[in-house]
């Protein structure tokens, strides 16, 4: 049966109920529902999973803000009224795993065949070089969102690409990332099990 | 010679040059100028010193904020117009030193003879317990600001005090902190050389 408004216009379901319907359909298939999630959210969920299962202590660093003005209303919480985003001087994630310092940066692209190197910032590369020098485990997680898949790539494989950036290629081909990195499918618990790749790359002597 | 403006008003040096003069006078006595500095500032300076001298990669984590409203004015930077302070889930400082994961919390007191245990938050203690379990080096830096002096105290010495808090003493006596910790005087470069204490506590087998 087709419903019409008194003015003759066709009845349309409100946007909200459409949204709810879509959400419900999605939640039955976790892999599909992950498709719309940002890499940050997937990693936060994974880190919470690792923390509650006591596998690793890894946190995302808060976004650094330059706070200019704070109001202190009576009987309620302080409100930041003016603040500006600052350039972070490190990567976004660090922590401890199996007695080792862990440090990584996570990036995603909608590209199909390569990852643009410019997605990294100079300070992130500089920070990761120093961390490696001091004995930390450093890698990048690159998500190809169209394929809903991630790669864990040791930073030692990233530095040569960064160093040739001015004169050479502007992006790392997916085929190279597949060759040098470890593929991590998007799952349920944890959403991105990147520690499995870390085990393979840094702790399993058979793979060397 | 006194300079006057054409309107007869006296010439006054702009504020900026005054500021420079004051800064210069202070820099001749670094210990005295440090006296008014907060522990956070002293540690930030120390961490920058360690970073530029490539001794360790240790950063303070940014204050976590729940951002509610951001304005994007044309041709200028994004402005956060409403945000609230969130409870951090970790300690303030972490990084890598001599191949080890480093994690610490820093507190200061104006007390003369003891440090109130309640200055630590439950989540900080819980976080440090987990870090120790995963092989990290965890300690606290306690500053007695009246004496302009700091102590590096391994968290293993803090946990028993925390665990007896409900039924026992509410503060750790300074005499105990002096016995169990390593004293670090306030200096110039770096302002607080806490890595010297870390070397002694965790890397010098002679001290065990």
């Amino acid at each position: 049966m087709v419903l019409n408004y008194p003015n003759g216009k066709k009845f349309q379901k409100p946007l909200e109920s459409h949204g709810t319907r879509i959400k419900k359909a999605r939640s039955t298939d976790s892999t599909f529902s992950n498709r719309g999630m940002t890499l940050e959210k997937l990693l936060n969920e994974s880190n919470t999973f690792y923390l509650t299962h006591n596998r690793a202590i890894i946190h995302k660093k808060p976004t650094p803000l330059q706070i200019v003005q704070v109001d202190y209303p009576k009987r309620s919480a302080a409100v930041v009224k003016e603040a500006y985003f600052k350039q972070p001087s490190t990567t976004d994630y660090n922590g401890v795993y199996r007695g080792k310092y862990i440090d990584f940066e996570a990036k995603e692209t909608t590209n199909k065949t390569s990852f643009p190197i410019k997605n990294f910032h100079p300070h992130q590369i500089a920070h990761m070089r120093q961390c490696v020098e001091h004995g930390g485990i450093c890698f990048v997680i690159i998500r190809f969102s169209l394929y809903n898949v991630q790669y864990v790539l040791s930073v030692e494989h990233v530095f040569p690409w960064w160093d040739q950036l001015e004169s050479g290629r502007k992006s790392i081909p997916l085929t190279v990332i597949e060759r040098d990195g470890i593929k991590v499918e998007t799952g349920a618990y944890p959403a991105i099990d990147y520690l499995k790749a870390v085990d393979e790359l840094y702790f399993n002597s058979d793979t060397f």
Side-chain angles (χ1 to χ4, degrees), chain A residues 79-202:
Chain A
V79 195
V80 176
K81 299 297 280 183
E82 188 185 352
Y84 298 89
F85 294 99
K86 285 201 295 186
Q87 177 86 310
S89 44
T90 66
T91 52
D92 274 354
Y93 301 86
N94 77 355
V96 60
Y97 175 57
R98 293 176 74 167
K100 288 283 183 185
Y101 175 74
I102 300 288
D103 197 298
F104 67 93
E105 186 57 41
K107 301 284 183 194
E108 69 190 310
T109 180
T110 52
N111 282 13
K112 285 175 185 170
T113 57
S114 69
F115 176 78
I117 302 158
K118 279 271 179 191
N119 279 17
F120 295 115
H121 302 299
H123 70 270
Q124 292 169 340
I125 299 288
H127 171 75
M128 290 191 289
R129 276 195 222 269
Q130 280 197 292
C131 287
V132 168
E133 208 183 318
H134 286 264
I137 286 179
C138 292
F139 53 89
V140 298
I141 297 180
I142 298 175
R143 172 171 166 83
F144 284 83
S145 48
L146 284 179
Y147 308 131
N148 191 26
V149 80
Q150 295 72 220
Y151 293 87
V152 173
L153 192 63
S154 177
V155 281
E156 283 83 349
H157 286 299
V158 176
F159 296 151
W161 287 97
W162 179 265
D163 295 334
Q164 61 84 60
L165 184 59
E166 291 308 307
S167 56
R169 282 202 60 143
K170 304 294 176 215
S171 63
I172 314 176
L174 176 53
T175 50
V176 169
I177 295 171
E178 278 180 325
R179 186 194 66 197
D180 296 339
I182 306 271
K183 192 175 179 171
V184 183
E185 303 279 359
T186 312
Y189 303 103
I192 300 175
D193 194 3
Y194 63 88
L195 286 182
K196 223 172 127 185
V198 170
D199 282 342
E200 204 172 319
L201 284 172
Y202 299 97

Side-chain angles (χ1 to χ4, degrees), chain A residues 18-44:
Chain A
H18 272 295
T20 313
R21 202 157 45 95
I22 291 162
K23 218 175 170 182
K24 267 188 187 158
R26 271 192 185 166
S27 68
T28 55
D29 176 3
S30 69
T31 311
F32 181 72
S33 77
N34 281 344
R35 213 172 267 268
M37 283 172 74
T38 63
L39 181 55
E40 182 181 328
K41 213 171 161 201
L42 292 168
L43 286 173
N44 286 349

